[in-house]
């Protein structure tokens, strides 16, 4: 996040051929200087006479951020069948030389339709608008759901010995494999 400017970079001439010395009022820049900056160039000739001009120096950040995700991540649905994650749950010390401005998730809310493995993308954006992403495998579990009891009446016929056997499947009014 640092850059150094020399007077020769903003002098529109050849200081050696012109036999002048150059001096600038600001030579070190960092992330706080992103954008346009006025820099004063002082040119001193052989006769010690000086002249100044102002150059606009634009500082840009060309280094993208580095997104880091925790992996894997498990979340459990609540009694209502919902759960949420935040960027803080997924971020694992993402970095940028000038700072991260925004974090966003491709999905943050989950329901029973999301039970199982979900691939979620964390996108980070730095202060210069550059982005990076990482993915995390989010496993959604539902350990709070109480199954619904669906009963139906059944008729049993006694065998020759006067006995009958009742199975749970005979009185369950649903599809046990689907439920």
């Amino acid at each position: 996040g640092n850059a150094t400017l020399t007077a020769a970079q903003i002098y529109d001439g050849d200081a050696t051929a012109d036999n002048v010395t150059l001096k600038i009022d600001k030579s070190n820049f960092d992330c706080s200087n992103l954008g346009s900056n006025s820099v004063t160039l002082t040119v001193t000739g052989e006769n010690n006479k000086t002249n100044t001009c102002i150059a606009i120096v634009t500082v840009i950040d060309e280094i993208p951020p580095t997104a880091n995700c925790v992996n894997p991540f498990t979340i459990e649905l609540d009694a209502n069948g919902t759960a949420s994650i935040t960027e803080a749950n997924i971020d694992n010390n993402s970095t940028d030389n000038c700072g991260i401005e925004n974090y966003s998730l491709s999905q943050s809310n989950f329901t029973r339709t999301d039970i199982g493995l979900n691939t979620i993308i964390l996108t980070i954006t730095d202060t210069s608008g550059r982005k990076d992403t990482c993915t995390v495998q989010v496993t959604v579990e539902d350990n709070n759901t109480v199954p619904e009891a669906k009963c139906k009446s059944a008729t049993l016929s006694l065998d020759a010995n006067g006995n009958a056997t009742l199975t749970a499947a005979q009185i369950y009014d649903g599809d046990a494999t689907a439920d």
Side-chain angles (χ1 to χ4, degrees):
N2 296 300
T4 302
L5 177 72
T6 65
Q9 289 175 288
I10 62 171
Y11 181 62
D12 192 18
D14 181 355
T16 305
D18 295 340
N19 203 22
V20 294
T21 57
L22 307 173
K23 183 179 175 185
I24 53 177
D25 67 338
K26 181 165 179 67
S27 60
N28 295 312
F29 298 85
D30 60 27
C31 295
S32 67
N33 303 113
L34 290 174
S36 298
N37 299 269
S38 296
V39 176
T40 302
L41 171 68
T42 303
V43 181
T44 305
E46 291 178 4
N47 57 3
N48 284 335
K49 293 200 182 242
T50 62
N51 198 355
T52 62
C53 64
I54 296 176
I56 302 300
V57 175
T58 303
V59 177
I60 58 174
D61 171 21
E62 295 184 311
I63 299 172
T66 301
N68 294 308
C69 288
V70 298
N71 234 336
F73 189 79
T74 300
I75 190 165
E76 188 172 312
L77 297 176
D78 62 17
N80 296 319
T82 63
S84 297
I85 58 174
T86 66
E87 292 84 358
N89 296 132
I90 302 305
D91 181 51
N92 189 22
N93 299 315
S94 296
T95 60
D96 184 69
N97 62 326
C98 285
I100 298 172
E101 185 170 300
N102 187 47
Y103 298 80
S104 64
L105 292 171
S106 60
Q107 180 179 353
S108 58
N109 296 310
F110 301 90
T111 64
R112 287 186 177 100
T113 60
D114 300 304
I115 292 173
L117 193 62
N118 298 268
T119 300
I120 306 302
I121 299 169
L122 171 67
T123 301
I124 61 170
T125 307
D126 71 10
T127 56
S128 294
R130 298 191 188 296
K131 297 180 179 190
D132 192 28
T133 62
C134 58
T135 58
V136 59
Q137 300 300 316
V138 175
T139 301
V140 177
E141 295 180 345
D142 185 6
N143 297 320
N144 291 313
T145 302
V146 176
E148 184 179 349
K150 300 176 184 179
C151 295
K152 65 181 177 181
S153 298
T155 301
L156 294 178
S157 296
L158 299 175
D159 64 15
N161 295 325
N163 297 312
T165 302
L166 178 67
T167 66
Q170 288 174 291
I171 61 169
Y172 180 65
D173 191 20
D175 181 358
T177 58
D179 295 334

